[in-house]
Amino acid sequence: MRSKGFSYLDVQARYRIGSGTITRIMKNFDAMATTLDELKLMEAGAVVDAFFPPERRRRKDTALPDFAKIHERMLDMGKRADLSLIWMDYSEDNPDGYRLSQFYKLYGEYLAQISGNKRSSMPVERIPGQKMFIDWAGDTPELLVDETTGELSKVHFFVTTMGFSSYLYAEAFLDEKTPSFVAGTAHALTFYGGVPEQLVPDNCKVAVSKHTKDELILSSAYSDLEDYYDVVVLPPPARKPKGKPTVENHVRHIETHLMERLKSKPYVTLGEINRDMAKLVDSINDKPFQKRSDIRHSRKRGFEKYDQPKLRPLPGLPFLTCDYRSVLRIPDNYHVEYDDHYYSIPSTMVGKPAVLKATMSEIRICDSDNRLICKHERSYKTFPLYITIDEHMPAHHAFNKELDARDGGYYRRWASTYGQSMETLIDRILRVPKHEEQAYRSCAGILHMCTDVPRPIVIESADKCVEAKVFKYSHFKKVLGQARQSCSHNEGQDAIGLPDHANIRGKDYWK
């Protein structure tokens, strides 16, 4: 352009370079003693080296390190490869050699020379309706005003996009905790009107408990959401934020444009923020793409034409957000606390971790693998504080609870099934102590003792105690033992004036 008479301004407007760069290029060209036609026949790299010789980019008095050997050493080190360690060895042998930053730069140029451009991006073929990307905006502006104190509170922005159309959804929350993240995901799915094949959240703790190259464990909340919507939650590889560039780009767009507009006035409630933000998001979705002339035209049109038809229908009801509590260890009393109440869990789970999920009406308790162990109806009463299912109790605890739940009338009714003598015996035993409750264990012991004994033997033993006017547990136990022993010695005979089959003891008799 300069040889054809174009001005510096013309060259600057065409190539977006400064006048100093133009002067330097022209000066180097004049020093080459070559023609423009000869330059056009040269390779591009040779042209660059002709105008900007590599030797001018480094000190001429210092030889280049042997980067071929350095590269071989880096490969041998494998996962422990450390260029700074190699530079330390280099600097010991070459005190006047290149400093660390220049050493890094020259090694990078060597890598680019042997393997091409080291910074490249793999093109991704996005499939309609396949992925919904999820993230929090990094900027948390102070938008909420307390009407009483005038203090400002921070607001957190939850952002999602559809993978193919980049259709945007955003919502403001007071925090970035689990209930907010789960609620934002459920609201986004409702906004899109369907369920994609995959949800792609960030590797945040509220969504992912563990994510390595070998294992992915979702949090209990997100695992429940995955099951409810029958969707696959697949975060990008750990420490790889470029695994979801679609939502990252929109997060930056919201931070630079949408938030600045929201800062123009104070807000008193989140509802006001979300109403204004919904209008701004709609305008972004409706706006035509500036650098794209394809058939998608705008986010909304692309979503309606391609993403939306591929989405699966939503479940009948929206996902119910729970309050999740992690229990590191089930206590020895096999009850976990929530809202000043204690809910039982099988005693075999003592010492193990669990997860408690609370809704307005129900308490669910799951194991560390998010499998349901038990559930309770949530209690709002002041008493009882302990909500216990009998099947969760050890056998001896269940027995003690059974004793505590019975009164004198219960034992009298139980005794009446064995006849008048047994009823009289139990009644007298209950009357002996000052307080009836003190005799409950004796009554229970006598009646449990008779469970596997033939009825005639029990009746005879009770008659003997009443006739002797001795109303004690120990005396009845002695009499019953003698009657059973006598029955066994006279087996096959009518020892007590009863048919032969009455001498058959135990459950077989009643069969």
Side-chain angles (χ1 to χ4, degrees):
M1 290 181 69
R2 288 293 296 151
S3 64
K4 292 181 180 180
F6 287 92
S7 67
Y8 267 55
L9 293 178
D10 294 331
V11 177
Q12 290 173 3
R14 172 62 181 83
Y15 290 105
R16 305 294 181 184
I17 57 177
S19 57
T21 303
I22 299 173
T23 301
R24 181 181 177 187
I25 290 174
M26 295 305 300
K27 182 179 178 181
N28 290 345
F29 176 68
D30 293 338
M32 290 179 192
T34 185
T35 65
L36 187 60
D37 292 333
E38 291 174 343
L39 281 176
K40 290 179 179 180
L41 297 175
M42 296 169 57
E43 293 183 358
V47 175
V48 173
D49 291 339
F51 281 90
F52 306 100
E55 60 271 11
R56 294 186 185 179
R57 303 176 212 165
R58 61 180 180 85
R59 291 177 292 180
K60 293 182 180 180
D61 57 343
T62 304
L64 283 173
D66 189 347
F67 285 116
K69 291 184 177 180
I70 291 173
H71 186 58
E72 290 180 4
R73 184 178 174 186
M74 289 284 285
L75 294 177
D76 292 338
M77 295 173 72
K79 293 182 179 180
R80 299 185 301 274
D82 188 346
L83 188 60
S84 63
L85 179 63
I86 296 176
W87 173 82
M88 292 174 63
D89 295 340
Y90 164 79
S91 61
E92 289 181 2
D93 298 335
N94 302 273
D96 298 328
Y98 294 97
R99 297 297 91 195
L100 182 62
S101 59
Q102 190 69 6
F103 189 83
Y104 274 28
K105 181 177 181 296
L106 293 172
Y107 180 66
E109 292 177 355
Y110 171 79
L111 290 180
Q113 180 182 350
I114 64 174
S115 60
N117 188 356
K118 61 181 179 180
R119 292 188 178 273
S120 60
S121 298
M122 183 182 72
V124 179
E125 184 67 38
R126 304 200 180 278
I127 301 173
Q130 184 185 51
K131 295 182 179 181
M132 184 182 91
F133 296 92
I134 305 169
D135 203 359
W136 289 104
D139 192 9
T140 55
E142 295 180 338
L143 300 180
L144 275 180
V145 180
D146 189 320
E147 291 183 303
T148 305
T149 63
E151 295 182 355
L152 292 172
S153 300
K154 291 184 177 181
V155 175
H156 302 259
F157 289 92
F158 178 87
V159 184
T160 69
T161 61
M162 292 302 298
F164 185 80
S165 62
S166 298
Y167 196 49
L168 178 65
Y169 173 79
E171 184 176 357
F173 288 95
L174 292 176
D175 54 49
E176 296 182 8
K177 295 181 180 179
T178 298
S180 300
F181 198 75
V182 173
T185 305
H187 296 168
L189 292 172
T190 302
F191 172 78
Y192 293 130
V195 182
E197 294 180 15
Q198 299 176 15
L199 300 182
V200 187
D202 198 6
N203 282 284
C204 52
K205 286 294 183 182
V206 297
V208 180
S209 297
K210 182 179 180 180
H211 193 186
T212 66
K213 64 182 181 65
D214 301 316
E215 188 176 24
L216 170 62
I217 301 176
L218 300 179
S219 67
S220 296
Y222 239 60
S223 179
D224 287 345
L225 185 141
E226 181 183 47
D227 292 339
Y228 185 79
Y229 286 106
D230 191 21
V231 66
V232 177
V233 176
L234 196 63
R239 305 180 187 88
K240 299 283 186 181
K242 290 188 177 181
K244 48 185 183 62
T246 300
V247 73
E248 297 286 348
N249 292 336
H250 283 81
V251 164
R252 287 193 293 269
H253 186 83
I254 285 178
E255 289 174 346
T256 55
H257 297 284
L258 190 148
M259 291 184 186
E260 291 299 324
R261 297 183 185 180
L262 293 176
K263 291 178 182 178
S264 60
K265 67 175 184 178
Y267 293 92
V268 178
T269 65
L270 275 179
E272 295 177 359
I273 296 176
N274 283 320
R275 279 194 295 271
D276 285 358
M277 188 165 61
K279 297 177 182 178
L280 295 172
V281 169
D282 286 343
S283 65
I284 294 174
N285 286 330
D286 289 332
K287 187 177 180 181
F289 290 114
Q290 294 181 353
K291 298 182 180 180
R292 189 183 294 168
S293 59
D294 60 7
I295 51 180
R296 282 175 281 183
H297 184 66
S298 69
R299 294 174 178 84
K300 185 175 183 180
R301 284 186 59 182
F303 173 76
E304 292 174 347
K305 188 171 182 179
Y306 298 102
D307 277 325
Q308 195 171 41
K310 298 294 184 179
L311 300 179
R312 290 182 290 104
L314 290 166
L317 297 173
F319 180 72
L320 182 62
T321 305
C322 303
D323 184 13
Y324 290 80
R325 298 287 178 87
S326 178
V327 182
L328 298 179
R329 179 186 181 277
I330 300 297
D332 294 340
N333 68 357
Y334 52 91
H335 284 70
V336 293
E337 187 271 339
Y338 184 81
D339 194 22
D340 295 331
H341 286 76
Y342 299 85
Y343 297 90
S344 69
I345 191 170
S347 58
T348 54
M349 291 289 295
V350 168
K352 298 179 181 179
V355 177
L356 183 145
K357 307 171 186 178
T359 66
M360 295 298 293
S361 60
E362 193 175 55
I363 299 293
R364 288 174 171 250
I365 303 174
C366 301
D367 63 12
S368 56
D369 295 323
N370 204 36
R371 293 174 296 193
L372 180 66
I373 301 172
C374 61
K375 56 184 177 181
H376 298 264
E377 183 179 348
R378 183 172 174 178
S379 176
Y380 291 93
K381 299 178 181 179
T382 305
F383 294 101
L385 295 179
Y386 284 84
I387 315 299
T388 307
I389 296 176
D390 292 345
E391 289 76 9
H392 294 170
M393 306 175 72
H396 61 288
H397 288 188
F399 177 75
N400 291 334
K401 181 182 178 181
E402 183 182 3
L403 292 180
D404 295 340
R406 295 172 177 175
D407 58 7
Y410 173 83
Y411 292 109
R412 289 184 176 93
R413 290 190 298 273
W414 188 358
S416 67
T417 62
Y418 290 102
Q420 183 61 45
S421 297
M422 179 62 78
E423 186 176 3
T424 301
L425 174 65
I426 294 298
D427 180 70
R428 295 295 177 86
I429 291 176
L430 288 170
R431 294 176 184 273
V432 169
K434 183 177 181 181
H435 300 286
E436 185 179 79
E437 290 81 359
Q438 296 172 340
Y440 288 170
R441 289 185 176 271
S442 296
C443 295
I446 290 174
L447 294 170
H448 279 294
M449 195 188 306
C450 302
T451 302
D452 292 332
V453 179
R455 184 183 182 85
I457 296 178
V458 173
I459 294 174
E460 181 190 21
S461 301
D463 288 341
K464 289 182 179 180
C465 291
V466 172
E467 289 174 2
K469 297 183 179 181
V470 181
F471 308 107
K472 293 183 178 179
Y473 168 83
S474 58
H475 184 69
F476 179 81
K477 181 180 180 181
K478 180 180 179 181
V479 172
L480 184 65
Q482 292 173 349
R484 295 178 66 177
Q485 187 176 11
S486 175
C487 182
S488 63
H489 286 324
N490 296 281
E491 188 173 354
Q493 302 178 14
D494 190 4
I496 52 176
L498 294 171
D500 289 343
H501 66 267
N503 294 311
I504 302 174
R505 300 185 303 157
K507 295 181 180 179
D508 291 338
Y509 171 79
W510 299 108
K511 290 180 181 177

